[in-house]
Amino acid sequence: MARQRPDWNPAVLKEVRESHGLTLEEVGEKLREIGERHKFSLAANFQTVWAHEKGTSFPRPDYRRAYCILYRLNEAELGFRRALPGEVATVPNQRSAETAPDLAETIREALGSLREGAAGVDAETFRSRIVEEWKRRAGGDDAGPTVLLVGGYAGSGKSEYAKFIGRLTGWPILDKDSLTRPLVDQLLLALGGEVNDRSSDLYREKVRPLEYRCLMEAAWDNLNCGTSVILDAPFLAEFSQADWMQRFYNRCKAKRVAVAAIWVECDPESMREYIEFRGAARDMWKMEAWEDYLATVDLKLRPAGPHFVVDNRLGAAVAAADQARDALSGGGL
């Protein structure tokens, strides 16, 4: 049964295309070019675009992201969804192809969804640090080590946001799954479990602690050499423990390492869509028992210590990051 999308207004997409003087064929070609730049698997042609504009086919996540990049608009402005509270209705960087964007301002706009999640942190200062890191990297300068922990539920967009910060700063990304998944799969089998198990007591008690130990030790190997790192993992248990957070912050302070934690929040429907879209075997149990899984998701969860929050409900933050990343690569209409 097709999912109901009462907030979708497909006519807007056609209006935006026509306002730019583009044909269906031209949009299809530009979407394919964007797909190549950003490694989206797009097979766009005029029929694809026509189906999106007529409302007979709702664009999947990678197509929506590509449309946002192409038109320099967010999903709400393109009619795909409702606007989030406080979301900008008109985008300042909507410009012609001939106008060179202010890249530092483009980055600030893309970081606009990041806000303070607890006392003791300053979002504007942190945004400025990211921009300055990008400027130093672009100018060949280097800064002291920083560790950035990016957490959130499956499908929240945390990995895409981590990649965005990594692109700006040049900091390497340590993804928990990339580092440990082959070993975890085989360890589960050796212990008598199932290779894609991520919900049993066996996984939580015997395997998960080793995953995070590997991740953190890899991080310290880099930090001890003066190399900043971005850690990409859910951090659900870790962020929930004030003691764990305090110990980590204390260790970082003792080693003169700057530390920041980011929680990426998202709505259940968007999380489900992204989980379905990526089609990972480890997520099969979530899809098969979505309501049971959703009952374990605490949308109010936030790190028990100084942290920032990125509002990626309805994919808004990732879409803004896509546009900034495309501007940095020289893309546009």
Side-chain angles (χ1 to χ4, degrees), residues 6 18 25 43 54 58 67 73 80 127 135 146 152 184 190 203 223 235 256 293 303:
E18 292 178 342
E25 290 81 0
K54 292 291 289 184
F58 185 71
Y67 278 122
L73 296 170
F80 296 138
R127 281 191 289 266
K135 289 180 178 178
T146 296
V184 166
Y203 168 75
L223 294 168
F235 287 114
R256 301 181 183 277
Y293 167 69

Side-chain angles (χ1 to χ4, degrees), residues 275-306:
I275 291 172
E276 287 178 331
F277 176 66
R278 72 188 182 190
R282 67 187 183 278
D283 293 325
M284 287 181 60
W285 70 274
K286 298 185 183 76
M287 295 294 93
E288 292 172 354
W290 178 254
E291 293 304 322
D292 292 337
Y293 167 69
L294 196 58
T296 70
V297 173
D298 180 6
L299 296 177
K300 296 182 180 179
L301 176 64
R302 296 294 183 274

Side-chain angles (χ1 to χ4, degrees), residues 83-320:
L84 293 173
E87 191 169 24
V88 177
T90 56
V91 175
N93 69 337
Q94 184 182 2
R95 53 173 70 85
S96 68
E98 290 74 26
T99 303
D102 181 335
L103 296 183
E105 185 58 31
T106 297
I107 293 169
R108 285 188 179 278
E109 291 172 9
L111 293 169
S113 60
L114 184 146
R115 67 178 191 276
E116 293 89 350
V121 296
D122 186 324
E124 180 56 34
T125 298
F126 186 65
R127 281 191 289 266
S128 296
R129 177 173 174 79
I130 295 295
V131 172
E132 290 306 313
E133 289 289 349
W134 170 74
K135 289 180 178 178
R136 276 192 285 270
R137 181 182 174 231
D141 196 4
D142 194 12
T146 296
V147 58
L148 175 60
L149 289 72
V150 184
Y153 283 103
S156 63
K158 62 182 178 298
S159 294
E160 290 297 329
Y161 204 79
K163 291 174 184 176
F164 172 55
I165 301 298
R167 168 73 185 272
L168 297 178
T169 60
W171 299 343
I173 298 171
L174 301 183
D175 181 292
K176 176 181 70 68
D177 288 336
S178 298
L179 285 173
T180 66
R181 186 184 303 152
L183 289 173
V184 166
D185 291 349
Q186 294 304 310
L187 180 56
L188 284 167
L189 288 176
L191 293 174
E194 298 181 1
V195 68
N196 294 316
D197 168 30
R198 297 297 186 274
S199 60
S200 70
D201 290 340
L202 171 64
Y203 168 75
R204 286 192 294 266
E205 297 173 7
K206 300 294 185 181
V207 179
R208 187 187 184 279
L210 299 177
E211 280 188 290
Y212 279 84
R213 179 178 174 182
C214 290
L215 177 67
M216 302 312 295
E217 289 187 1
W220 283 112
D221 285 344
N222 283 273
L223 294 168
N224 288 335
C225 295
T227 302
S228 299
V229 290
I230 300 171
L231 306 187
D232 174 13
F235 287 114
L236 302 182
E238 290 71 20
F239 279 179
S240 299
Q241 301 174 42
D243 289 346
W244 187 93
M245 295 284 288
Q246 189 61 58
R247 287 195 304 271
F248 184 72
Y249 271 81
N250 289 345
R251 184 177 181 185
C252 289
K253 183 177 180 181
K255 289 180 172 290
R256 301 181 183 277
V257 172
V259 57
I262 290 179
W263 177 260
V264 181
E265 67 175 353
C266 194
D267 59 288
E269 185 70 9
S270 296
M271 287 191 285
R272 178 172 183 171
E273 183 177 38
Y274 281 112
I275 291 172
E276 287 178 331
F277 176 66
R278 72 188 182 190
R282 67 187 183 278
D283 293 325
M284 287 181 60
W285 70 274
K286 298 185 183 76
M287 295 294 93
E288 292 172 354
W290 178 254
E291 293 304 322
D292 292 337
Y293 167 69
L294 196 58
T296 70
V297 173
D298 180 6
L299 296 177
K300 296 182 180 179
L301 176 64
R302 296 294 183 274
H307 66 277
F308 302 95
V309 174
V310 168
D311 187 352
N312 193 40
R313 288 175 296 168
L314 306 178
V318 168

